[in-house]
Amino acid sequence: MPDAIPVLRSPRLGADIRADHPAYDLIELLFFAYRDFVSDPDRILDEYGFGRAHHRVLHFVDRQPGLTIAELLDILRITKQSLNRVLKELIEKRFIESRMGTSDRRQRLLHVTPQGHDLALKLAKLQTKRIARALSDLEPDAKELVTRYLVRLIDPDDREHVERLVFGKQEV
Amino acid sequence: MPDAIPVLRSPRLGADIRADHPAYDLIELLFFAYRDFVSDPDRILDEYGFGRAHHRVLHFVDRQPGLTIAELLDILRITKQSLNRVLKELIEKRFIESRMGTSDRRQRLLHVTPQGHDLALKLAKLQTKRIARALSDLEPDAKELVTRYLVRLIDPDDREHVERLVFGKQEV
DNA sequence: GAGATATGTCAACAACGCTGACGTAAATAA
DNA sequence: TTATTTACGTCAGCGTTGTTGACATATCTC
């Protein structure tokens, strides 16, 4: 049914990047990969009455205990009103706790509860299965290369911030 | 501010994949990379009064002229009502044309108009810039490896279908 | 002619983004 | 100390994009 799709041959040598011709394959693979990647946790989230927005909040609070509202907003790139809606539910259902800041008492330091951690872990393990399976019969250095590639897809201005968060790099 | 995050050391040898420990880094990098990747076209889409749903439809119709509704639904994994809403707008604004099928006259064969193709190309080039930049100073075989990785993130049942669509493979 | 299939459409609703406005408490600057 | 800024909470309303359920039409297949 699909007509023959003109295939873009690789450029002759590595340096010659044809940025003028769309890289349809990677654009589309990123769409399909992400589509399936985020779909894994959906069934479980449903059981708790949560959606993907709850998942993202729970994940980052679990990863970084003591996260503030401002930091979370910076990660998620949504408005505080949008965040507040899902965060309120996570707190009411006792998956997340909000504690007053110690040095700055205006801040709210977010922590997962034990049941919050359990759910976060359950969801992370689910996604890890897919990631591990994808990596399983690629070259040994595949993970390192894919990691570097994904980092370089991120906005340059935000890269340092993300690396600090993901890899725990403290030094500049 | 972030406490030291326990780093998962790579397993000793390739086969020993610790699927029980979440691969936090790749989970998060996928989130950040995709977040920024899909944000590029937003400003342009706004000018046309379109959203990300319109973009996805336009993209796949541009890539695969003559795509049917059923095939498009299978790609996007949404309901026909959701699709119809955005597709109707794309047709009304003359970015996409719907033609009656030839062999099966119940089908609608979707095609982009010239202005539809222009927009699709403009958006694809934008996303390609980011992809090319990310690839630009990685090893020459990075693209091939990242491609294989992304393919393997897709649901196994759907992989063949996607490969046919993305790479134009006709033979099984 | 009966039934299955491909599509279109109406209505209602949910999740999750957004803007704008306003309020409070606490830190900081003047 | 007073004024301003900052961090957060909240109310109200709205837009996009997903959902379910029901029903209609044209066309293909048996």
Side-chain angles (χ1 to χ4, degrees):
Chain A
M1 181 66 57
D3 290 327
I5 295 166
V7 173
L8 173 63
R9 300 293 169 197
S10 311
R12 286 142 254 283
L13 282 178
D16 174 28
I17 284 168
R18 299 182 40 192
D20 60 317
H21 188 296
Y24 288 117
D25 49 356
L26 285 183
I27 291 175
E28 287 159 9
L29 290 177
L30 219 40
F31 164 75
F32 288 112
Y34 196 78
R35 178 195 71 176
D36 292 349
F37 176 70
V38 298
S39 78
D40 280 335
D42 281 355
R43 260 168 300 174
I44 293 174
L45 289 164
D46 242 33
E47 296 169 16
Y48 292 82
F50 293 145
R52 289 175 185 179
H54 300 85
H55 182 197
R56 290 192 284 270
V57 171
L58 183 64
H59 176 94
F60 285 109
V61 173
D62 183 54
R63 255 322 276 292
Q64 203 154 338
L67 205 64
T68 67
I69 302 289
E71 287 168 333
L72 197 44
L73 288 176
D74 196 44
I75 289 170
L76 300 175
R77 299 260 181 92
I78 58 175
T79 60
K80 62 175 176 177
Q81 295 91 328
S82 291
L83 171 58
N84 199 256
R85 186 165 37 204
V86 294
L87 183 56
K88 201 157 46 171
E89 289 173 11
L90 284 164
I91 291 173
E92 279 166 4
K93 293 189 182 175
R94 308 213 177 273
F95 287 78
I96 286 183
E97 270 179 26
S98 171
R99 303 176 192 162
M100 186 181 286
T102 47
S103 61
D104 186 336
R105 308 204 307 168
R106 292 170 303 179
Q107 293 183 328
R108 301 288 172 264
L109 307 185
L110 303 173
H111 296 262
V112 289
T113 63
Q115 88 165 324
H117 176 67
D118 286 348
L119 179 53
L121 195 59
K122 194 165 156 187
L123 297 171
K125 279 183 179 173
L126 206 62
Q127 296 192 298
T128 291
K129 271 190 198 169
R130 185 180 290 268
I131 286 175
R133 188 189 60 201
L135 235 30
S136 66
D137 42 29
L138 295 185
E139 290 80 344
D141 62 338
K143 176 172 179 176
E144 192 257 336
L145 203 141
V146 168
T147 298
R148 281 199 286 144
Y149 178 70
L150 291 177
V151 167
R152 295 187 57 78
L153 276 183
I154 298 167
D155 282 347
D157 291 349
D158 205 35
R159 232 174 263 167
E160 195 190 302
H161 175 236
V162 168
E163 287 182 323
R164 208 162 46 234
L165 193 156
V166 173
F167 303 117
K169 287 181 184 167
Q170 276 299 65
E171 45 332 338
V172 180
Chain B
M1 180 66 58
D3 292 327
I5 295 167
V7 173
L8 173 62
R9 300 293 168 198
S10 308
R12 286 140 256 284
L13 283 179
D16 175 27
I17 283 163
R18 300 189 31 199
D20 59 317
H21 189 296
Y24 287 118
D25 49 355
L26 285 182
I27 291 175
E28 287 159 8
L29 290 177
L30 218 40
F31 165 75
F32 289 113
Y34 197 79
R35 178 195 69 178
D36 292 349
F37 176 70
V38 298
S39 77
D40 281 335
D42 282 355
R43 258 169 302 174
I44 293 174
L45 288 164
D46 242 34
E47 297 170 16
Y48 292 81
F50 292 145
R52 288 175 187 179
H54 301 85
H55 182 197
R56 291 192 282 272
V57 170
L58 184 63
H59 175 93
F60 285 108
V61 172
D62 184 54
R63 254 326 273 294
Q64 203 154 339
L67 205 62
T68 67
I69 302 290
E71 286 167 334
L72 197 43
L73 288 175
D74 196 43
I75 289 171
L76 301 174
R77 299 259 180 96
I78 58 176
T79 59
K80 63 174 175 176
Q81 295 91 328
S82 291
L83 171 58
N84 199 254
R85 187 163 36 205
V86 295
L87 182 56
K88 200 157 50 171
E89 288 172 13
L90 284 163
I91 291 173
E92 279 166 5
K93 293 188 180 173
R94 308 214 176 270
F95 286 77
I96 286 182
E97 270 178 25
S98 172
R99 304 176 192 161
M100 186 182 286
T102 46
S103 61
D104 185 336
R105 307 202 311 169
R106 291 171 303 179
Q107 293 184 327
R108 300 290 171 261
L109 307 184
L110 303 173
H111 295 262
V112 290
T113 63
Q115 90 165 323
H117 176 67
D118 287 349
L119 179 54
L121 195 60
K122 195 165 157 187
L123 296 171
K125 280 184 177 171
L126 206 62
Q127 296 192 298
T128 291
K129 272 191 197 167
R130 185 180 290 269
I131 286 175
R133 189 189 60 200
L135 236 29
S136 67
D137 43 28
L138 295 185
E139 290 79 343
D141 61 338
K143 176 170 179 177
E144 193 256 338
L145 202 142
V146 168
T147 298
R148 280 200 286 146
Y149 179 70
L150 291 177
V151 166
R152 296 185 57 77
L153 277 183
I154 299 167
D155 281 348
D157 290 351
D158 206 34
R159 230 174 264 167
E160 195 190 301
H161 175 235
V162 168
E163 288 183 323
R164 208 162 47 234
L165 194 155
V166 173
F167 304 117
K169 290 179 183 166
Q170 277 298 67
E171 46 331 338
V172 179

